[in-house]
Amino acid sequence: MASYHLSVKTIKRSAGRSATAAAAYRAGCEIACEREGRVHDYSRKAGVEEAFILAPDDAPDWTRDRQALWNAAEARETRSNSVTAREWELALPAELDAAGRRLLVAGFATELVSRYGVAADVAIHAPHRDGDQRNHHAHVLTTTRVLTAEGLTDKTRVLDAKATGGPEIEVMRARWAELQNAALERQGHEIRVDHRSLAVQREAALAQGDELKAEELDRVPEPKLGPAASAIERREARAAELEGREYAPVTERGAGVQTARQERALMAELRARVELARETYAHAREEGADRVTAGLAALRAAAQKHAIDREHGEEVSSEHASALETGSIRERLAHILDRGSERREAEVAQETGPGPEPDDIRAQLGRILGREVEQAEPEADASAPAPEARSIRDRLQAVLAQTKQVTRDEHEQEKEEREPKRDRVRERRKDRDRGDDYEL
């Protein structure tokens, strides 16, 4: 799943930093800093896939030279607390190929140059060997002054002022999401990114009446693994593959990431089946089928999709298979479809006259579905609320709570087995900190 990330940072002298050192490190090259009288040499740095400079059309030729550009940026500032460069840190979709990622970053950097009149020094980095191998990213260093034919001139105040800086960056965050989605669409990927927070996206989904989408967004952000935990999990995944067993996380962060991804996949699967069921229901009604027949056709379509997904190896996971069985899904689909079809029923009633009473239809559909549900699920408590009276949120939370409990029990057992291994890892890290050679 593609993830969104854009952060804007400043290179400040008050923090002991310089634009020349930042540019040399990100581009993986050597730059002699005239102000500091020292050489920043990162020519042996690995992982830099490509680095290039973009500047306004009327900018002098020397601005395309990295050393000349950033020495000029340093020389233009005279204060001890000056900001000499601005960094735009971007996460690139792993779903794109190298050419697509390069085109995407270049397009965004070109817009920065055009919008603010600055020079942009772009460095595209590959994932770190000890980190998440999907972590393709880019660093775009921009000057803090407008670049013209005369050189570096006025400060980019629109980004510096408190009143305008925040809104301006938010505009560029939205633009970065648009560019990513366009790039993903060009290469035939269905996934999309959104620059808004999960809370804002959820509110928008509720405003549009999409309760299932809102529930999908009502989640805790996925925890970050970090280089150390990522390396441990990657080694364990390779070992599991070689030994022919199922991979299980060995760190707490790894377990948290796996749980978050499984829950997200479960919600995505449920959402896909509900949308297919809605489309099938609407089509059946347009063809003249009554509500019961259309409802059953919708449920069959959703069940068939699940069977096809499992046949092609696209099921969520063995741990969540029970939550996706046809019987348990049917109740949720029946409730969602019934609510989603109210507007359509009103239109049909105007054209053909009043149909069967809604309570009678629900009772008929419930009896038909009940006979099938009873075979796979225990009989419900008579005092419990009927499926129609329960919210989508309650039902989904019940499924996820059961899944989480199973996962917690397994994690507790694994935790006890991992303690000796963790002690060894801690000792090796201490050796590393002391400078001793070690090998995990």
Side-chain angles (χ1 to χ4, degrees), residues 80-159:
S80 60
N81 62 346
S82 292
V83 176
T84 57
R86 183 173 285 106
E87 178 184 17
W88 304 72
E89 187 178 79
L90 312 168
L92 306 179
E95 292 78 8
L96 300 179
D97 57 24
R101 292 192 293 269
R102 202 265 187 201
L103 184 63
L104 173 61
V105 177
F108 182 74
T110 299
E111 294 203 9
L112 292 177
V113 172
S114 175
R115 188 178 184 90
Y116 305 117
V118 296
D121 190 354
V122 181
I124 302 175
H125 288 187
H128 193 275
R129 62 173 182 168
D130 293 328
D132 191 329
Q133 294 307 294
R134 300 168 300 173
N135 185 26
H136 296 272
H137 59 282
H139 302 269
V140 182
L141 283 180
T142 59
T143 58
T144 58
R145 291 182 178 272
V146 176
L147 187 59
T148 67
E150 288 73 35
L152 295 167
T153 57
D154 300 329
K155 279 281 192 179
T156 52
R157 296 300 180 191
V158 67
L159 290 169

Side-chain angles (χ1 to χ4, degrees), residues 166-233:
E168 188 67 22
I169 289 174
E170 189 62 22
V171 169
M172 297 310 298
R173 284 177 54 82
R175 183 56 183 154
W176 175 236
E178 292 174 1
L179 291 173
Q180 284 189 82
N181 289 332
L184 289 166
E185 184 177 3
R186 280 196 302 270
Q187 293 202 359
H189 299 287
E190 295 183 359
I191 57 173
R192 297 293 182 267
V193 299
D194 197 316
H195 71 288
R196 299 172 298 175
S197 67
L198 291 176
V200 173
Q201 293 181 53
R202 187 173 187 275
E203 291 176 2
L206 288 173
Q208 296 172 0
D210 193 343
E211 295 185 28
L212 192 57
K213 180 63 175 178
E215 295 302 326
E216 186 178 348
L217 294 167
D218 188 15
R219 65 178 188 268
V220 177
E222 182 179 304
K224 299 296 182 183
L225 273 180
S230 180
I232 294 173
E233 295 297 344

Side-chain angles (χ1 to χ4, degrees), residues 254-285:
V257 168
Q258 186 185 60
T259 299
R261 290 177 181 174
Q262 288 174 343
E263 292 179 359
R264 190 164 62 239
L266 173 64
M267 292 297 299
E269 167 66 13
L270 178 59
R271 178 177 175 79
R273 294 172 69 183
V274 168
E275 289 176 350
L276 175 61
R278 281 175 173 164
E279 293 175 1
T280 305
Y281 182 89
H283 178 71
R285 293 293 289 159

Side-chain angles (χ1 to χ4, degrees), residues 24-29 41-48 125 128 139:
Y25 180 79
R26 284 152 184 76
C29 68
D41 186 2
Y42 295 99
S43 56
R44 299 181 65 183
K45 174 178 170 57
V48 181
H125 288 187
H128 193 275
H139 302 269

